[in-house]
């Protein structure tokens, strides 16, 4: 009798490992001030990231997995500019 782990193409831990590897390949660490700012992301994407652990993409294009208190950092000027152009 086989189990889901015996067939890696049918889901289970092997699928999760492959998805994680793909995400890490997509992750681009850009030098600069991105880490010094809070970024604008849709609230539902933040919640989804908290549940799944998948990274989010800010309006400015920064991609990361949220995990710090955004209140402790100034707002990203690029995100703010993009947001204001969308709203007003």
């Amino acid at each position: 009798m086989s189990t889901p782990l015996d067939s890696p193409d049918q889901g289970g831990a092997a699928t999760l490992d492959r998805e994680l590897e793909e995400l890490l390949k997509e992750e681009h660490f850009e030098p600069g001030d991105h880490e010094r700012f809070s970024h604008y992301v849709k609230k539902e994407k933040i919640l989804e990231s908290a549940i799944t652990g998948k990274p989010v993409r800010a309006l400015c294009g920064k991609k990361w997995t949220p995990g710090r208190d955004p209140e402790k950092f100034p707002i990203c000027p690029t995100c703010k500019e993009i947001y204001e152009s969308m709203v007003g």
Side-chain angles (χ1 to χ4, degrees), residues 15-64:
T15 299
L16 293 175
D17 289 341
R18 279 196 311 275
E19 288 177 1
L20 179 58
E21 286 177 22
E22 288 173 19
L23 285 173
L24 291 173
K25 287 178 189 174
E26 291 176 11
E27 188 70 30
H28 299 287
F29 296 100
E30 300 173 12
D33 293 334
H34 287 297
E35 297 301 323
R36 297 181 186 180
F37 295 113
S38 294
H39 297 273
Y40 287 175
V41 177
K42 291 182 179 182
K43 287 182 182 180
E44 59 268 14
K45 294 295 184 182
I46 296 287
L47 179 60
E48 180 182 335
S49 177
I51 293 169
T52 65
K54 292 184 178 180
V56 296
R57 186 173 305 273
L59 289 178
C60 68
K62 175 176 174 43
K63 188 175 179 183
W64 85 108

Side-chain angles (χ1 to χ4, degrees), residues 1-16:
M1 175 178 235
S2 67
T3 67
L5 294 178
D6 293 334
S7 303
D9 293 335
Q10 295 180 4
T15 299
L16 293 175

